[in-house]
Amino acid sequence: MTTASGRIRALFVSAFAASLVVACGGGSDSPSPAPVPTPAPVPTPPPPPPAGSPTPDTTAPTAGILTPADLATGLTGTVAITGTAIDDVGVASMEFQVDGVTVGTDTASPFVASIDANAYAPGQHVIRARASDAAGNVSDWKTITVRMAGTRTVDQAFTKDESWVTGFGSATAMAQAPDGRIFVAEQSGKLRVIKNGALLATPFHTFFVDATGERGLLGVAFHPNFASNGYVYVYYTVPSATAGGASHNRVSRLVANGPNADVSDGGEFIIADLPALSLTATNHNGGALHFGTDGKLYLGVGDNASGAKAQDLNDPFGKLLRFNDDGSIPADNPFCTLAALKCAVWAYGLRNPFTFAVQPGTGKIHINDVGQNTWEEVNVAGKGLNYGWPSSEGPDSLTSAFTAPLFNYKHSAVTPAGSGPGGFFTGIAIAGGAFYPSSGAFPAPYRGNYFFADYGSKWVARLDPTNSNAAYAFANIGGSPVDMLVGLDGALYVLAQGGSITRISSP
Ligand SMILES: [Ca+2]
Ligand SMILES: [Ca+2]
């Protein structure tokens, strides 16, 4: 999808084709006879141009990229981007970009910009070129997708600390309080607290959970007014009260034991108890929990390995649910006609929305849906939307009833590598999403981007909304990412399941 814009049909055989004279047909339309006798006023023709004056140039050039080749791989060190362009009068300059950032403008043919491929995280990047003529007409962008192969593990101008905080048990999710503390959910049921960069020994709260398979303490979120009400929301798997019985997932609300206390007051208010889980399938619980900018509590719930439930609006599995902060159902939810948990459905057709993210300011929500055999998805949340699972995965088998992903990438490489939706990205399970705000310490081209990670391939990538959501590699992580957030300090934090948080800051 990253190469979709501005494909041009022409073949360019020379970088020097400076002056392609186009013979313009003259002629004007013959006036039709007027249907009424009154003669129509005869338009006054424009005065002819003075003898010898040039015809204004209103035709834009067309641009191409000669090197590197589209889908080139293994780019390291100094790489020359060579452009070519043709114009009816003459090409004045060519501009070159990498990942939406201008890296050179050349006013003399041959048009070239030199870049250092080692400055970029290894993986997919997008090169663009466009041409201008002397009259200011600008061509469409010509876009190619390449794979860089330097040894950096994060884009230049960033610092990555993979041991910012370590020492968790199997970690699943994290959230940051307005006071800067970061709470980390451990699958075993402990909700841990990081304060001033140090992991506190005493958990905020310890839940009695079923932690088999993908079950356990899976989500944490702070109430928007946490600073005054001390509310913390969690999502976890409650074991059966009877041996051999079914577990179920629950959303609960805790209260800090006093303002900014590092432990809860010990109480627990149940927001929602979801239906019984499978006696055998312990996977696809979802788990992400966030407040939207509308003040509503959103929850991603997996299909518990029963795909049909994702399409059953009477079942909360395979859905994005939406609650008020007290567990009641908002009156404007889309399917609010029957039982309470049906009323909680906001969007459906999801397999395992283990992570999602809310964009600051706009409130836009991106749902990461973990795929089955072929595709990992980023979906844009919307009231009542159906993302197609289990009939559709990624861009496959879409119908008019389904909302296509914003971005998807495959589990295995295609031939040729990098071609088709998802480009060079491959992975196993999308896990971790965070919007960078419109301001902050990251360089401007990174602000407003959507960052996402893959659990299996251990990379962090980003979608660039100002360039048609083109996807660029950003960083590699040693551990397996399960969650991400942008901190109050403007750094990107990546939680790895093995028990560490990576901090990526700029510079
Ligand atoms: Ca022109
Ligand atoms: Ca889908």
Side-chain angles (χ1 to χ4, degrees):
M1 57 85 68
T2 54
T3 62
S5 65
R7 295 254 177 213
I8 37 180
R9 291 176 290 109
L11 292 173
F12 306 103
V13 295
S14 167
F16 309 91
S19 182
L20 179 68
V21 177
V22 176
C24 296
S28 58
D29 293 341
S30 301
S32 301
V36 291
T38 309
V42 178
T44 305
S53 89
T55 305
D57 179 5
T58 58
T59 303
T62 51
I65 297 173
L66 295 174
T67 65
D70 191 21
L71 306 183
T73 63
L75 301 184
T76 59
T78 301
V79 171
I81 308 171
T82 310
T84 179
I86 56 173
D87 185 68
D88 58 333
V89 176
V91 178
S93 67
M94 286 195 76
E95 177 188 0
F96 299 95
Q97 291 191 341
V98 176
D99 297 350
V101 175
T102 297
V103 294
T105 299
D106 195 346
T107 57
S109 176
F111 302 105
V112 179
S114 180
I115 62 166
D116 177 9
N118 297 346
Y120 301 89
Q124 173 165 305
H125 296 275
V126 174
I127 293 172
R128 306 199 301 169
R130 64 180 179 182
S132 300
D133 63 20
N137 302 301
V138 183
S139 75
D140 291 336
W141 287 106
K142 170 66 179 178
T143 300
I144 64 168
T145 305
V146 300
R147 186 162 65 195
M148 299 193 188
T151 57
R152 291 189 62 86
T153 57
V154 66
D155 280 358
Q156 199 171 55
F158 291 89
T159 303
K160 186 180 66 162
D161 177 2
E162 296 214 18
S163 302
W164 181 69
V165 173
T166 62
F168 307 107
S170 178
T172 55
M174 64 178 171
Q176 187 171 36
D179 55 59
R181 288 177 297 164
I182 292 178
F183 284 24
V184 177
E186 293 182 344
Q187 188 179 0
S188 64
K190 291 178 181 174
L191 184 58
R192 307 294 300 272
V193 179
I194 299 166
K195 190 173 188 177
N196 300 322
L199 178 61
L200 302 187
T202 304
F204 184 80
H205 193 91
T206 300
F207 298 87
F208 179 53
V209 302
D210 173 357
T212 55
E214 297 175 5
R215 296 172 178 173
L217 178 58
L218 302 177
V220 55
F222 291 95
H223 190 281
N225 299 324
F226 169 78
S228 55
N229 63 26
Y231 288 167
V232 182
Y233 293 74
V234 293
Y235 178 73
Y236 69 97
T237 311
V238 181
S240 170
T242 57
S247 300
H248 72 278
N249 286 314
R250 169 181 286 173
V251 181
S252 277
R253 187 174 77 194
L254 311 177
V255 184
N257 190 26
N260 300 318
D262 295 323
V263 294
S264 83
D265 70 357
E268 178 177 353
F269 177 79
I270 297 173
I271 296 292
D273 275 316
L274 272 54
L277 290 164
S278 165
L279 292 174
T280 53
T282 58
N283 53 347
H284 305 182
N285 294 275
L289 191 66
H290 299 282
F291 275 88
T293 56
D294 57 1
K296 307 303 182 186
L297 179 65
Y298 292 83
L299 167 67
V301 181
D303 70 0
N304 194 206
S306 177
K309 292 183 177 178
Q311 293 294 324
D312 180 358
L313 288 173
N314 289 305
D315 192 308
F317 289 177
K319 309 292 189 306
L320 184 68
L321 305 183
R322 181 174 180 259
F323 298 95
N324 292 315
D325 65 355
D326 62 358
S328 61
I329 306 296
D332 60 342
N333 274 11
F335 306 111
C336 204
T337 55
L338 291 175
L341 278 173
K342 171 172 180 171
C343 282
V345 173
W346 183 252
Y348 66 111
L350 297 165
R351 180 177 174 274
N352 190 19
F354 182 70
T355 50
F356 68 87
V358 181
Q359 184 170 40
T362 69
K364 182 165 65 177
I365 294 175
H366 280 180
I367 308 168
N368 296 335
D369 197 16
V370 179
Q372 173 89 6
N373 294 319
T374 314
W375 294 100
E376 301 299 309
E377 302 181 359
V378 177
N379 295 289
V380 180
K383 179 179 181 175
L385 295 184
N386 179 359
Y387 302 100
W389 177 256
S391 302
S392 166
E393 186 176 300
D396 296 340
S397 305
L398 286 169
T399 72
S400 59
F402 303 150
T403 298
L406 176 71
F407 180 72
N408 37 234
Y409 61 90
K410 273 195 156 173
H411 288 190
S412 54
V414 294
T415 304
S419 64
F424 286 104
F425 288 99
T426 60
I428 294 172
I430 188 168
F435 286 95
Y436 202 88
S438 57
S439 62
F442 276 20
Y446 295 81
R447 298 177 203 149
N449 283 204
Y450 178 65
F451 289 79
F452 59 103
D454 189 86
Y455 172 85
S457 293
K458 303 177 182 176
W459 44 249
V460 179
R462 60 191 179 105
L463 298 181
D464 176 5
T466 62
N467 286 295
S468 305
N469 286 299
Y472 316 136
F474 177 65
N476 290 339
I477 303 293
S480 294
V482 289
D483 202 6
M484 291 201 296
L485 61 80
V486 175
L488 298 172
D489 61 356
L492 180 70
Y493 292 86
V494 186
L495 177 65
Q497 184 186 40
S500 63
I501 294 178
T502 295
R503 181 177 186 267
I504 301 175
S505 57
S506 178

